Amino acid sequence: MSSHRIRTSAAAITAVVAFPLSLGAFAPQAFADNTASSPSSTPSPFGPGCSSLPHEGKGSAKERVATAAANNPKLTKLALALKDAGLTTKLNDAKHVTLFAPTNAAFDKISKMQLAGLLKDKAQLKKVLTYHVVDKTITPSELPNGSFKTREGSMLKTTGSGTSFKVNDTAKIVCGDIKTANATVYLVDKVLMPPS
């Protein structure tokens, strides 16, 4: 084999290895799980927000979901809210759950007055946050016409196709099917409010 072919093959292998690692936090396990499962038309993880995940550091797929969220720069406000509501340990101890995780940008869409009031009312904060948690692993194939009971007790619905999905017809999934040690995570661009 010529030296040119050797260099070309080496470059191709390097590109294949480097691509999964470029997604950073949560991503390595997500890609490992995807290659081990049956073929799917939806890549994992998927969505426009995946490309901006951290490239290195803490928040990896080996960590439990609340800990991983705390170490992800896109989810620091969610992590603080979980801590204030006393849900960090409960979420980390849960098994095979799905978290629809509001990003920092999602929290920024709430007025300062409304957010301050929510953070002061621990019972209401817990109600809102548990509405983002489903006690089962939700796969991308279930998203097009999904209906799921949350830990809060109310139902949550998902719609869409391909790699474009919404939750309750309002919140867009910006990055989905992210794996952590004990959960599947879907980043959403809006804080979900349970029915009053």
Side-chain angles (χ1 to χ4, degrees):
M1 180 181 292
S2 67
S3 59
H4 174 72
R5 288 185 177 179
I6 293 174
R7 287 195 299 271
T8 302
S9 298
I13 293 171
T14 301
V16 170
V17 172
F19 176 70
L21 297 179
S22 68
L23 286 173
F26 299 140
Q29 186 62 39
F31 273 93
D33 286 356
N34 189 51
T35 55
S37 62
S38 58
S40 172
S41 58
T42 304
S44 297
F46 67 87
C50 296
S51 61
S52 60
L53 289 174
H55 286 247
E56 58 185 9
K58 295 181 178 180
S60 73
K62 293 181 180 180
E63 292 183 319
R64 292 190 170 271
V65 63
T67 301
N71 289 322
N72 186 321
K74 295 172 71 72
L75 299 175
T76 53
K77 293 183 179 182
L78 171 62
L80 288 173
L82 289 171
K83 183 178 180 181
D84 288 346
L87 295 173
T88 300
T89 300
K90 289 183 179 180
L91 201 53
N92 275 342
D93 288 345
K95 295 181 180 180
H96 310 299
V97 297
T98 295
L99 171 66
F100 289 91
T103 62
N104 291 342
F107 279 95
D108 290 341
K109 292 178 181 179
I110 301 177
S111 69
K112 291 183 179 180
M113 183 178 295
Q114 184 181 6
L115 182 59
L118 183 62
L119 293 175
K120 287 181 181 179
D121 187 340
K122 187 174 181 178
Q124 182 62 22
L125 180 61
K126 184 176 181 180
K127 179 181 177 70
V128 170
L129 293 176
T130 52
Y131 184 63
H132 292 74
V133 183
V134 176
D135 281 318
K136 62 165 284 186
T137 298
I138 299 175
T139 64
S141 64
E142 297 175 90
L143 296 176
N145 189 28
S147 182
F148 311 99
K149 185 175 182 180
T150 68
R151 280 198 167 190
E152 181 270 339
S154 302
M155 301 301 291
L156 175 152
K157 295 183 179 181
T158 58
T159 54
S161 61
T163 59
S164 179
F165 297 98
K166 284 186 177 182
V167 183
N168 290 347
D169 294 322
T170 57
K172 294 179 181 179
I173 294 178
V174 296
C175 184
D177 203 27
I178 307 166
K179 304 299 183 183
T180 70
N182 67 318
T184 298
V185 180
Y186 292 89
L187 305 188
V188 292
D189 69 352
K190 191 173 182 178
V191 177
L192 306 172
M193 295 296 177
S196 56

